Amino acid sequence: MEAKTQYKSSRRWFLQHWTAIAFTFAFVPLTQSLDYAEALSKSLLYFEAQRSGRLPYNQRATWRHHSGLTDGLDQGVDLVGGYYDAGDNVKFQLPMAFTITMLSWSVIEYGGDIAAAGEYKYALEAIKWGTDYFIKAHTHPHVLWVQVGEGETDHYCWQRPEDMTTSRRAYKIDEKHPGSDVAGETAAALAAASIVFRRTNPHYSHLLLVHAEQLFDFGDKFRGKYDASVGAAKGYYPSLSGYMDELLWAALWLYKATDNSHYLNYALQNAQSFGGITWAISEFSWDVKYAGLQLLASTLSIRQGKGEEELSKILQEYRLKGEHYICACLNQNNKTNVRRTPGGLLYIRQWNNMQYVSNAAFLLMVYSDHLRETNQMARCERRFVGPEEIFAFAKSQVDYILGLNPMGMSYLVGYGPKYPRRVHHRGASLDSYKKKKSFISCTQGYDNWFGRKNPNPNTLTGALVGGPDNKDRFNDHRRNYMQTEACTYNTAPLVGIFAKLHALERDTDIEDSQLFSANK
């Protein structure tokens, strides 16, 4: 009982003490009250708006309708389902798989908090909508369909997904046309999801693992970058980091899912040659996985503590590189730190910067939990950093997203009184198919809707847009796609964060109420 009381007290101290410090240094208004439970609920709703395929009877984003019902037909495969990545109508496997990996990681870390908020069902549905599609797309142990649609023709049109007249050509990787990066990321997503479904649906969990292991073996045996095999992806989701990070990432997730030492040994034996313990990276995204896999590996080091000397040494090297990322976010490296806006937001690059912010906040929060649980600190070049400080900074980034910023703008669509109203999104910016079933042609959307100054007729609730520039400025216009387009992988890591912050806030309220009652 005493230990539990101390733990609760520590949680409340995190919120009250470190939140005040974070806000002071971010120079943002402190008057706005944040509702993390509402943010969690809306973030999960966003994935329903991005669905492709035949929508279920309980679809909550009611302005959407069935779409892409013939995907894969010309190639003789069933590729109906999955998610559109952003504001267009193409299905890109690499970012879609990363989205599912991060959603699954959110549930693995904070599933209890998600359940306590009443959102667990929706989190599992969001994951399963993706994994069901991955199973379809994996038609042979050495074949994975990795794209449906063409970015060039799709971007020429401004159409609802329900009206698509653009090419729905499907692209695959196989033995002669390898794609180790996309195979590895899909394996990681399926392995992580198998952990999520292990208790509630063990048969499905096993099926996911079978596909994950086959895809990992395929990606490892037939190595190559997928954008060299699928030229149509190169202009939209090129694999700039190569495939070695995805293979390490997949191996670590498979180890967590199976406890099979083969996968851990793979990550250890290839740590040097694949860059796992040589790359010190200051960003984490759908393309560059090094920071995520390094921190994932470093938690194994922390949890195992003692063990084989060589194993422990390599895992410690993973930790060293992973903490470089943590320290870069906290501005505690001597040279390579992440820039910040005047309002305190991490700033990597102009186009869709919020993807890096939400991913950073998630990694920071997860790692702060591990450090606190093991009574350790992160070692930065300038000084040691404790879990409380890491947590506080992660929270400051999330609070900036929700409106505690110089513009007073929530960048999570549909949350708060002020949020982006002209999101760069085809379906949201055109009249709902359910209200106006008459066909909207390829160019008609551009002529009659795209340039309108009016807000979108449909709210893309829960979408995290690209966000402000390096001076905290934001221009809410559909043409401004670098700032107003939202992507599934922007929102995915926020699911776990919102759940955790809501749980901390709830526990603090309960404890305060109990203290008040005791003092009556």
Side-chain angles (χ1 to χ4, degrees), residues 142 154 321 384 507:
H142 293 170
D154 184 88
K321 291 298 185 290
F384 285 93
D507 287 354

Side-chain angles (χ1 to χ4, degrees), residues 23 37 57 71 89 151 160 166 170 225 256 293 308 312 318 395 402 433 495 506 513:
F23 286 171
Y57 72 92
D71 283 357
N89 301 323
R160 301 175 298 198
T166 52
K225 290 174 55 177
K256 286 180 70 70
L293 71 89
E308 190 176 331
S312 180
Y318 268 118
K395 184 178 183 298
L402 294 181
Y433 179 82
V495 170
R506 183 194 64 227
S513 176

Side-chain angles (χ1 to χ4, degrees), residues 8 15 33-34 53 76 79 106 121 131 150 186 196 198 209 265 269 301 315 322 324-325 394 425 465 468 477 511:
K8 281 191 172 183
L15 275 175
S33 176
L34 300 178
L79 297 177
S106 284
K121 169 189 174 183
T131 53
E150 296 177 344
T186 307
V196 171
R198 185 179 292 159
L209 262 185
N265 290 334
Q269 291 166 5
S301 171
L315 288 175
H324 172 90
Y325 173 83
H425 189 278
V465 298
H477 199 288
E511 187 176 347

Side-chain angles (χ1 to χ4, degrees), residues 23-161:
F23 286 171
T24 299
F25 283 98
F27 301 104
V28 294
L30 304 180
T31 56
Q32 184 177 341
S33 176
L34 300 178
D35 188 337
Y36 299 114
E38 179 188 349
L40 169 61
S41 179
K42 290 185 171 179
S43 67
L44 284 167
L45 182 59
Y46 166 61
F47 294 99
E48 298 190 23
Q50 294 300 111
R51 285 172 171 170
S52 179
R54 184 169 294 279
L55 304 186
Y57 72 92
N58 60 348
Q59 169 82 8
R60 295 180 298 160
T62 55
W63 52 272
R64 282 294 323 283
H65 199 55
H66 311 314
S67 64
L69 298 182
T70 60
D71 283 357
L73 183 64
D74 290 345
Q75 285 77 27
V77 291
D78 177 7
L79 297 177
V80 177
Y83 289 107
Y84 302 116
D85 71 302
D88 51 27
N89 301 323
V90 183
K91 294 190 293 196
F92 294 100
Q93 181 73 11
L94 184 57
M96 193 194 310
F98 180 67
T99 296
I100 300 304
T101 306
M102 296 307 293
L103 275 174
S104 298
W105 199 358
S106 284
V107 174
I108 291 167
E109 296 291 340
Y110 304 117
D113 295 334
I114 295 172
E119 299 292 335
Y120 195 73
K121 169 189 174 183
Y122 300 117
L124 263 58
E125 286 178 355
I127 294 169
K128 194 170 186 293
W129 193 269
T131 53
D132 282 351
Y133 175 76
F134 298 161
I135 291 171
K136 284 184 176 184
H138 186 211
T139 54
H140 180 275
H142 293 170
V143 175
L144 178 67
W145 295 85
V146 298
Q147 184 172 323
V148 179
E150 296 177 344
E152 185 174 346
T153 58
D154 184 88
H155 287 192
Y156 177 74
C157 296
W158 194 260
Q159 280 182 297
R160 301 175 298 198

Side-chain angles (χ1 to χ4, degrees), residues 341-499:
T341 68
L345 184 72
L346 292 172
Y347 193 82
I348 301 292
R349 56 181 55 90
Q350 183 180 10
W351 194 337
N352 190 20
N353 182 64
M354 278 300 187
Q355 65 172 307
Y356 306 107
V357 177
S358 60
N359 281 323
F362 183 84
L363 291 185
L364 288 163
M365 199 157 285
V366 167
Y367 198 61
S368 73
D369 287 343
H370 288 305
L371 290 177
R372 189 179 71 252
E373 290 167 4
T374 54
N375 195 30
Q376 296 191 62
M377 300 183 76
R379 184 172 186 172
C380 298
E381 292 174 350
R382 294 180 179 177
R383 60 183 175 86
F384 285 93
V385 177
E388 300 89 354
E389 184 175 353
I390 297 171
F391 168 86
F393 184 72
K395 184 178 183 298
S396 75
Q397 298 302 291
V398 177
D399 291 350
Y400 185 110
I401 288 171
L402 294 181
L404 294 184
N405 56 64
M407 290 198 69
M409 167 79 76
S410 165
Y411 293 104
L412 190 77
V413 178
Y415 177 89
K418 183 180 179 183
Y419 55 83
R421 306 278 177 165
R422 299 163 189 84
V423 181
H424 181 94
H425 189 278
R426 285 159 175 75
S429 66
L430 298 164
D431 287 339
S432 169
Y433 179 82
K434 292 189 175 181
K435 289 185 178 180
K436 185 176 181 178
K437 289 185 169 59
S438 57
F439 177 74
I440 298 176
S441 70
C442 175
T443 58
Q444 187 182 358
Y446 273 119
D447 294 340
N448 298 339
W449 276 273
F450 180 73
R452 287 183 179 181
K453 294 183 179 180
N454 294 337
N456 289 350
N458 309 298
T459 302
L460 194 63
T461 303
L464 177 61
V465 298
D469 65 13
N470 62 346
K471 301 295 184 183
D472 299 297
R473 298 169 302 195
F474 180 78
N475 179 17
D476 186 12
H477 199 288
R478 280 177 217 97
R479 295 183 187 276
N480 183 20
Y481 54 85
M482 289 190 179
Q483 291 189 320
T484 64
E485 189 169 22
C487 303
T488 56
Y489 45 86
N490 293 16
T491 296
L494 292 178
V495 170
I497 299 173
F498 289 150

